[in-house]
């Protein structure tokens, strides 16, 4: 007799809405932004890459403080430069 393997049941799908707090720019069809869940000003700000295969790829989350926001902006600027350098090498 064959073994029965139970597959995990899908959970409820939850749709989240985000407010863009800072747009860093777009390179090669990818856009880098700093977002925060809509209506949650105390929630983390997240550095996300929009576009590509995944559509939305969270890179890093930061605390919703002045210091966290400043750190996120610095990390975003560095990530944007890295994307630009990578894009230049990919298209050549």
């Amino acid at each position: 007799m064959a073994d029965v393997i139970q597959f995990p049941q899908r959970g409820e799908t939850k749709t989240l809405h985000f407010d863009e707090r800072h747009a860093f720019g777009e390179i090669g069809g990818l856009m880098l932004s700093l977002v925060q869940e809509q209506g949650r000003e105390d929630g983390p700000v997240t550095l996300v890459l929009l576009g590509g295969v995944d559509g939305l790829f969270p890179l890093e989350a930061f605390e919703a403080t002045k210091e966290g926001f400043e750190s996120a902006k610095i990390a975003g600027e560095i990530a944007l430069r890295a994307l630009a350098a990578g894009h230049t090498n990919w298209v050549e």
Side-chain angles (χ1 to χ4, degrees):
M1 180 179 239
D3 291 333
V4 176
I5 300 171
Q6 293 291 333
F7 287 96
Q9 298 297 314
R10 287 188 176 184
E12 181 180 323
T13 300
K14 183 177 178 183
T15 302
L16 300 175
H17 297 275
F18 294 94
D19 290 324
E20 186 174 55
R21 299 294 181 205
H22 186 79
F24 292 97
E26 182 178 347
I27 295 179
L30 298 173
M31 190 169 100
L32 187 65
S33 289
L34 189 59
V35 300
Q36 188 174 40
E37 188 177 346
Q38 198 172 57
R40 290 207 45 219
E41 281 70 30
D42 62 336
V45 289
T46 305
L47 187 61
V48 295
L49 195 56
L50 302 163
V53 176
D54 294 326
L56 179 121
F57 186 74
L59 298 174
E60 188 64 49
F62 299 85
E63 291 183 22
T65 61
K66 183 179 177 182
E67 294 82 11
F69 186 73
E70 291 302 316
S71 295
K73 284 179 67 176
I74 292 168
E77 293 295 336
I78 292 168
L80 189 65
R81 288 183 192 140
L83 281 172
H87 183 274
T88 301
N89 289 326
W90 294 324
V91 294
E92 290 181 357

